[in-house]
Amino acid sequence: MAQFDKHVSIVVDPKSPQSITAALAEYRQRLQDGSALRLTMNLMLNVRFVKADGSELTLDDAGDNRALVELAINACRFDEQHAYITEPVVFAAALNFPELLPEVVATLEALVAFSRSRNDSNDLWLDDYNAFGVEAIYMLIETDAAYSSMLTRLLVPYWDTQTMTAPLCLLGGLVAKHGWTRDLIKAYVYCDGAEVRRYFYEDAFVEEQGYDAVQIDLLSHLQSHHDDYLYFKSELIARLQAMPILQMPDEPSSLAQLLVEYYSTMGAWPVGCERWELEDESDEWNDRVKQQLICGVKVEDEIIALAAMLTETRDESTYFSVAESQRGEVEDSYKIWRNFAAAEIAAAPVIEDQIADKPEPAVEPEPAIEPEQELPAIAWDDAMGRKIFSCLNPRTDLISQSRLERLNDELGNRDGQEIIEALPFMPLHLGSSAYLALRLHQDPSDDELTAIGQWFEQHLSQLLSDFVLKFCKVAEDDNEALRQWICGVDLDAHQAVATDIDAKMIELVRNGLAKDGGKSGPEISAKQAAYWNLFTHDAGQRCMLTTLLLQSASRFTQCRSSEQLTQSSPVVQLAKRHWQMWLAIAPQRAINRIIKFKADYGLYAAINDQDSEASLFDLLQQFGVTDAMLEAFTLMADQQVADYRPADARFGQRYAAKVEQYAELDLADTSMIGRQQLKQFDALLQALEYCREDQVLEFFQHLKALNPQLELPIMPMFEQALLNTLKEGFEDDTAQSLYDCIMAYLISGEGLGSLSPLALNKPKLQGWNPYPMYRGKVGPADFVWLLPQEMAQRLVLFLAQLGKRGLHWLGRSSVENAYVASRIQAGDIAMVDRWSHSEVGNERHRDSDMGDALDVAKQNWALNWLDRAGVPEAALVYFAVHEGYEQQQFVCKLAAENRLPDLQDWLTANERVQLLEMLADVESLPEPSKQSFLQDCSSAVKSLANKLFANRQ
């Protein structure tokens, strides 16, 4: 396709060895200096090989190697097999001349070096399907399999194994053709990526089927060829001493881990299950592999011996390296290519956009023109309209009032004449309507007012109805009535008789709107659905602004000459209808998008200026936003922005004051004031059903912290969260059955044993996450800290028996919220100081030490809470070691109480070593725990245990 066309041409005569030599030399140079690539998101090859007449090389130019290059293209590409083939053709042509083999090898080594300098397959794109250089290496291997390791060095660890799979499948093809020769054993050794190495004998992972073995694995070969196993070990040592392993910057440099991965990826070790069946696939698989035998020797002992040999004279870190583009001193790994990208853009021909609603490129605003300067007239045409008004496009980000004011400065005013001239060239979308509605608030001239009114009269109905109907499907019988209502057309007499016609149409829209494709779950909350048109691009902001500003402006313009914009005009009535519709369907989203227009923070709907905020709140109330809806919005927005460190402290203070106010409610107060307060609180609770569930839950935690006796609608929320979360992992009927069983247990406390994955015959339950996968939602685990005590304890016991990682939900943000709430309830932290507190406040986002200390404290608090609830020690220790952050204190407490179980079935050998290190300062470890470590099946664990315990005798 055109977007992948190559703009750098290297001229070559495919029949001339001298010309091919020069072309390959130029290609190497361009790879080195970056001119062979262009910056298109990541990198993309920008080179094509052409003949002297400018025509691209074709398959015929491969000469006697045409069949070879066709074989390579078919093997290396799954899609777009004959697009952009000049690179493999030139290498095929070069291989026609034996004397050019050194040039070919040198060029391919340059390609390998480039790949390793990036360590990212996304920087090797030829087009949107294929990588460059792969066919060339394949052809070289076809001529001599001794070059097989060149391919595995190209396939760097950070390779996209989901998208760029064709090159990976070449490995299995080599084994199929040659068997496990020493050339391919060497290729395995020179492959840095553990998952890539599996492609020597496995196909891609298939859900419910695991990995499909397509060739004999290396393990099977080595077990029956002892000499080749000795070769493997010697080649591995030689390779590591000659070439370090590529890794990501944040990966730990563990030689033992590296060596076990070489062994664990050899094949299907007989460990009693497939690796993909294990909860923690890589760690548990590796741990089981270390206890296996290879050629009569325990794998763990082989790894220990190899590591000792390699570190005898060299430091462990020397066996690892980070790609040049990923090193800490590199600020911008694409910097050297940006100049080429900029030059290419400058030289590219201008193509007129033929699609009216295609997203416009962002345009940097020009410096504002000083007021005293005379404004030059703008020569309006369609292109100028798209350029000037590009910021209005609904496919760009949210717009702010300041951005539209800058647009005013760019346009100039000239008594409204400029906008009158621009109107015929304004893009027909809701961004333009929002801007024009704002202009009506800026004292327009009569001529401007009339022109804008005519524009709205002509276009508004279509713009608003398109916004709704694009993602709304209703029954055929309702189509016409809904269309008329949305477009503002008077309904037929028999339809209009019904007094609830507005409510009926709104309900049709609510039920007919498309969901958001699962990104935010089936619903945001019990009442506010995740509608597609409220989650794409501007998320409805320009629609909300248009409808609100038009209604408001009608009050200013009703005494003017324009008839189109009076309060009773069709345009304003249509705006009112759509505003009321969205206010009924998604009130919190509507309020949010209006506040964001004047917000002072990019990510938060918060306005610093209190007068401006009050004025906007008053406007919303004038047009149907209830006190309860606005109160709910303010509470949730204040809670969110309070955690943003640079935000004004007043938001957190206002939130804290509201929490304290509601926490003081007396449910037994029957006085007039008491009843009124309870009525307002009830209205707030109903409004909160339209808000983000995680924020509502945090609000409830704060209320409970100040008033544990306050009745809150926790159970309905919990029951819905439990059912919804089960539905994310199971079919609806299965989810309902599980829900019924779990709720019966939580209420009665009986039947826990029958709810294990084994007893239920539901292995999938072992990997079930008791929290949702969507932002803003909550799952059953988030309610642990708010449920009645007995029910909460039963819930955590149920979760703990769902497998080793049954407590992994302790990583949820709700745990931190619950910990902070417990500190507030204990009186350690005042509610008003929640976000300024030195230990838990929003400074933790800036100070990593503070954040780390909070992680340690909240996990220790949670583990002790779970311990008191009766969660088995093995599950607690597993979390503390496997997922916890510096939980030595908790682990040592259990050890001192002689409550450390044998953890060989729970923790890997590396984790048992880590546990021993955590226990190093325990002066007197109980004898059963000591013997458990001394008799461990892992040599590494026993060795460390002997060392530690010998020092204590």
Side-chain angles (χ1 to χ4, degrees):
M1 291 184 284
Q3 66 264 38
F4 305 123
D5 285 350
K6 314 305 175 188
H7 304 116
V8 175
S9 298
I10 296 179
V11 179
V12 60
D13 178 356
K15 297 181 180 179
S16 166
Q18 294 79 14
S19 178
I20 295 174
T21 298
L24 293 178
E26 181 180 347
Y27 188 32
R28 292 196 298 272
Q29 180 59 44
R30 287 187 175 277
L31 284 171
Q32 183 177 351
D33 64 27
S35 61
L37 306 147
R38 61 173 162 149
L39 190 59
T40 305
M41 295 185 69
N42 293 85
L43 299 178
M44 183 170 290
L45 185 68
N46 199 28
V47 168
R48 61 176 186 159
F49 291 89
V50 300
K51 289 177 280 191
D53 62 2
S55 61
E56 292 188 350
L57 298 186
T58 66
L59 289 173
D60 290 335
D61 293 310
D64 293 342
N65 277 333
R66 172 170 178 148
L68 177 62
V69 75
E70 286 182 322
L71 177 67
I73 290 171
N74 289 331
C76 301
R77 301 187 181 190
F78 290 161
D79 299 282
E80 297 296 329
Q81 290 192 333
H82 294 288
Y84 314 109
I85 61 171
T86 64
E87 186 208 46
V89 168
V90 80
F91 278 100
L95 289 173
N96 283 319
F97 303 97
E99 67 272 22
L100 295 187
L101 182 60
E103 291 291 327
V104 170
V105 172
T107 308
L108 294 182
E109 287 289 359
L111 280 166
V112 170
F114 172 78
S115 178
R116 297 182 69 79
S117 74
R118 306 303 300 175
N119 190 19
D120 188 348
S121 59
N122 286 316
D123 288 340
L124 300 176
W125 285 115
L126 174 69
D127 52 26
D128 59 351
Y129 289 105
N130 302 299
F132 61 87
V134 179
E135 295 94 344
I137 293 177
Y138 178 88
M139 289 186 291
L140 182 61
I141 295 172
E142 279 295 298
T143 63
D144 188 347
Y147 291 106
S148 298
S149 62
M150 189 176 286
L151 174 61
T152 54
R153 285 186 286 126
L154 178 84
L155 302 175
V156 287
Y158 201 66
W159 192 276
D160 183 354
T161 58
Q162 301 297 314
T163 303
M164 208 180 286
T165 56
L168 302 174
C169 294
L170 298 178
L171 302 178
L174 291 174
V175 176
K177 182 176 181 178
H178 302 288
W180 279 104
T181 63
R182 294 200 170 185
D183 287 334
L184 288 183
I185 293 174
K186 179 178 180 179
Y188 178 90
V189 165
Y190 274 86
C191 184
D192 290 4
E195 287 307 309
V196 174
R197 287 196 293 268
R198 296 187 187 278
Y199 277 83
F200 275 99
Y201 56 90
E202 283 184 349
D203 205 343
F205 181 81
V206 178
E207 187 70 29
E208 305 297 343
Q209 297 179 21
Y211 296 85
D212 183 18
V214 293
Q215 306 298 338
I216 184 175
D217 56 39
L218 178 58
L219 173 64
S220 300
H221 175 81
L222 295 181
Q223 292 282 34
S224 57
H225 296 79
H226 189 256
D227 289 347
D228 279 351
Y229 175 58
L230 297 177
Y231 172 78
F232 163 79
K233 290 200 296 183
S234 65
E235 193 65 30
L236 180 58
I237 292 171
R239 178 261 145 100
L240 292 174
Q241 291 174 335
M243 176 187 290
I245 291 285
L246 270 180
Q247 65 172 17
M248 300 300 289
D250 55 351
E251 284 186 82
S253 302
S254 169
L255 189 57
Q257 182 66 20
L258 163 68
L259 292 170
V260 74
E261 285 179 355
Y262 264 102
Y263 278 85
S264 68
T265 55
M266 279 182 179
W269 290 88
V271 299
C273 67
E274 301 291 342
R275 74 177 190 280
W276 54 272
E277 295 176 331
L278 300 172
E279 284 189 273
D280 196 325
E281 182 181 305
S282 59
D283 288 345
E284 291 192 43
W285 175 263
N286 291 345
D287 202 48
R288 295 190 185 193
V289 167
K290 285 193 290 187
Q291 304 310 312
Q292 302 299 307
L293 299 179
I294 184 167
C295 296
V297 184
K298 191 176 179 180
V299 170
E300 185 179 25
D301 294 338
E302 289 286 76
I303 290 169
I304 292 173
L306 286 170
M309 186 182 307
L310 288 165
T311 55
E312 187 175 353
T313 58
R314 289 174 57 178
D315 185 75
E316 185 174 18
S317 63
T318 63
Y319 293 106
F320 300 88
S321 68
V322 174
E324 295 170 19
S325 66
Q326 298 169 339
R327 292 174 185 165
E329 65 273 12
V330 177
E331 294 182 5
D332 180 358
S333 68
Y334 295 110
K335 183 177 180 180
I336 63 173
W337 289 283
R338 292 192 188 279
N339 291 337
F340 296 109
E344 180 183 285
I345 292 172
V350 177
I351 301 175
E352 285 295 327
D353 187 359
Q354 300 298 317
I355 304 175
D357 65 347
K358 187 174 181 179
E360 300 287 348
V363 178
E364 289 294 326
E366 297 178 1
I369 301 174
E370 295 297 328
E372 62 270 13
Q373 290 181 305
E374 183 177 351
L375 297 171
I378 298 175
W380 289 104
D381 57 20
D382 289 339
M384 181 60 70
R386 288 197 301 274
K387 176 183 177 183
I388 293 293
F389 298 115
S390 63
C391 66
L392 301 178
N393 199 305
R395 296 195 178 199
T396 56
D397 293 334
L398 300 179
I399 54 175
S400 63
Q401 181 166 304
S402 59
R403 180 64 189 91
L404 295 191
E405 288 171 351
R406 290 200 301 273
L407 179 56
N408 272 341
D409 293 337
E410 295 162 14
L411 279 175
N413 194 351
R414 292 168 44 206
D415 296 326
Q417 190 60 37
E418 191 72 74
I419 197 65
I420 294 172
E421 295 171 2
L423 280 175
F425 305 101
M426 289 192 75
L428 295 180
H429 51 54
L430 285 169
S432 298
S433 68
Y435 174 63
L436 292 176
L438 184 67
R439 292 281 298 207
L440 296 176
H441 289 254
Q442 299 169 344
D443 193 23
S445 67
D446 286 347
D447 289 343
E448 182 181 3
L449 182 62
T450 300
I452 291 176
Q454 291 172 347
W455 191 94
F456 275 119
E457 193 174 61
Q458 183 179 359
H459 301 299
L460 183 64
S461 176
Q462 185 71 45
L463 295 177
L464 291 178
S465 60
D466 284 351
F467 179 71
V468 176
L469 296 175
K470 182 176 181 181
F471 297 107
C472 186
K473 302 296 182 185
V474 298
E476 189 173 345
D477 293 344
D478 296 317
N479 266 336
E480 183 57 25
L482 179 60
R483 189 196 65 77
Q484 290 183 34
W485 186 82
I486 283 179
C487 294
V489 179
D490 290 336
L491 297 173
D492 295 339
H494 70 279
Q495 294 177 312
V497 169
T499 57
D500 62 345
I501 188 65
D502 286 351
K504 179 182 178 182
M505 293 298 113
I506 288 172
E507 197 60 27
L508 272 178
V509 174
R510 185 200 308 272
N511 295 330
L513 285 172
K515 305 301 181 184
D516 70 335
K519 289 183 295 183
S520 298
E523 291 181 342
I524 301 173
S525 69
K527 290 187 178 180
Q528 184 166 318
Y531 300 121
W532 181 268
N533 41 358
L534 299 185
F535 280 82
T536 56
H537 311 306
D538 78 330
Q541 187 200 32
R542 289 156 176 81
C543 174
M544 308 303 174
L545 284 171
T546 297
T547 55
L548 180 64
L549 293 176
L550 266 179
Q551 294 176 84
S552 177
S554 69
R555 298 186 177 184
F556 302 113
T557 61
Q558 60 185 341
C559 299
R560 307 286 290 276
S561 59
S562 175
E563 293 294 328
Q564 298 99 337
L565 298 172
T566 62
Q567 291 187 49
S568 60
S569 68
V571 166
V572 175
Q573 287 300 307
L574 180 64
K576 178 182 178 181
R577 177 173 293 177
H578 280 258
W579 169 253
Q580 293 299 330
M581 179 184 70
W582 288 115
L583 203 58
I585 292 177
Q588 294 296 313
R589 176 58 56 136
I591 299 170
N592 175 280
R593 287 317 183 227
I594 298 299
I595 303 298
K596 279 282 186 78
F597 182 59
K598 292 195 174 187
D600 292 292
Y601 307 102
L603 298 177
Y604 304 100
I607 302 171
N608 279 337
D609 184 82
Q610 295 184 54
D611 291 336
S612 178
E613 179 190 68
S615 175
L616 192 52
F617 283 5
D618 180 62
L619 179 65
L620 289 167
Q621 288 174 308
Q622 289 177 41
F623 291 98
V625 176
T626 65
D627 292 344
M629 280 296 180
L630 199 54
E631 175 86 325
F633 174 83
T634 306
L635 267 174
M636 299 300 99
D638 286 352
Q639 179 198 95
Q640 187 179 35
V641 76
D643 204 36
Y644 179 53
R645 186 172 54 85
D648 194 299
R650 81 175 183 90
F651 300 107
Q653 293 166 358
R654 181 169 64 181
Y655 175 79
K658 283 293 183 181
V659 171
E660 291 171 353
Q661 172 192 324
Y662 288 119
E664 291 173 358
L665 287 175
D666 183 358
L667 300 180
D669 186 354
T670 58
S671 68
M672 183 180 296
I673 294 177
R675 289 198 305 271
Q676 182 63 28
Q677 289 175 336
L678 291 174
K679 184 178 179 181
Q680 291 175 351
F681 185 56
D682 185 61
L684 172 65
L685 293 179
Q686 292 182 44
L688 288 174
E689 294 179 12
Y690 292 88
C691 297
R692 274 180 48 177
E693 294 173 353
D694 58 340
Q695 294 175 333
V696 174
L697 207 63
E698 186 174 358
F699 173 58
F700 286 169
Q701 283 177 323
H702 290 145
L703 289 177
K704 281 288 190 181
L706 297 182
N707 184 358
Q709 281 70 48
L710 188 62
E711 292 185 11
L712 296 169
I714 299 298
M715 283 307 299
M717 284 185 68
F718 167 73
E719 291 168 5
Q720 191 63 52
L722 175 59
L723 182 57
N724 284 344
T725 312
L726 285 167
K727 285 181 177 180
E728 290 172 9
F730 301 92
E731 296 294 330
D732 285 358
D733 56 345
T734 303
Q736 184 65 53
S737 175
L738 286 169
Y739 166 82
D740 293 339
C741 294
I742 294 169
M743 284 304 303
Y745 156 70
L746 293 178
I747 293 170
S748 68
E750 299 176 357
L752 176 61
S754 64
L755 292 177
S756 70
L758 182 61
L760 290 168
N761 193 26
K762 298 230 176 340
K764 195 174 181 181
L765 192 60
Q766 185 161 312
W768 175 65
N769 291 324
Y771 50 80
M773 303 303 293
Y774 310 108
R775 178 176 175 265
K777 300 196 70 180
V778 292
D782 297 314
F783 289 82
V784 164
W785 327 101
L786 283 169
L787 291 172
Q789 183 175 356
E790 286 188 355
M791 184 174 284
Q793 291 174 346
R794 293 166 186 167
L795 176 61
V796 297
L797 291 175
F798 164 71
L799 297 176
Q801 70 167 6
L802 297 184
K804 292 183 179 180
R805 299 187 68 242
L807 302 182
H808 64 291
W809 51 270
L810 289 177
R812 290 280 289 173
S813 60
S814 56
V815 176
E816 181 176 314
N817 297 334
Y819 167 69
V820 175
S822 74
R823 297 283 304 276
I824 293 172
Q825 184 171 355
D828 298 334
I829 301 172
M831 185 64 224
V832 72
D833 297 329
R834 190 283 176 235
W835 284 286
S836 59
H837 194 270
S838 60
E839 296 176 18
V840 302
N842 53 29
E843 280 291 320
R844 71 189 187 283
H845 300 307
R846 181 191 63 84
D847 188 334
S848 60
D849 290 338
M850 183 189 299
D852 293 345
L854 178 57
D855 283 338
V856 174
K858 73 184 183 188
Q859 289 180 8
N860 185 265
W861 170 81
L863 287 170
N864 278 286
W865 190 98
L866 294 171
D867 190 23
R868 293 192 297 271
V871 172
E873 290 89 349
L876 297 172
V877 176
Y878 178 83
F879 176 84
V881 177
H882 182 80
E883 300 174 72
Y885 189 77
E886 296 184 7
Q887 291 306 307
Q888 293 94 329
Q889 181 182 355
F890 177 77
V891 169
C892 291
K893 184 198 82 166
L894 292 185
E897 297 172 358
N898 193 19
R899 295 172 57 206
L900 276 184
D902 187 334
L903 294 160
Q904 291 187 70
D905 292 334
W906 282 79
L907 299 175
T908 66
N910 288 341
E911 289 167 342
R912 297 198 298 278
V913 167
Q914 183 183 344
L915 176 59
L916 264 176
E917 292 170 344
M918 294 169 73
L919 297 170
D921 294 332
V922 177
E923 289 297 329
S924 179
L925 195 67
E927 190 63 27
S929 297
K930 185 185 298 185
Q931 289 302 317
S932 174
F933 289 116
L934 289 171
Q935 297 172 16
D936 197 281
C937 64
S938 167
S939 303
V941 175
K942 285 191 289 189
S943 174
L944 179 59
N946 279 311
K947 179 180 178 182
L948 288 176
F949 300 148
N951 293 337
R952 297 179 188 177
Q953 294 175 353

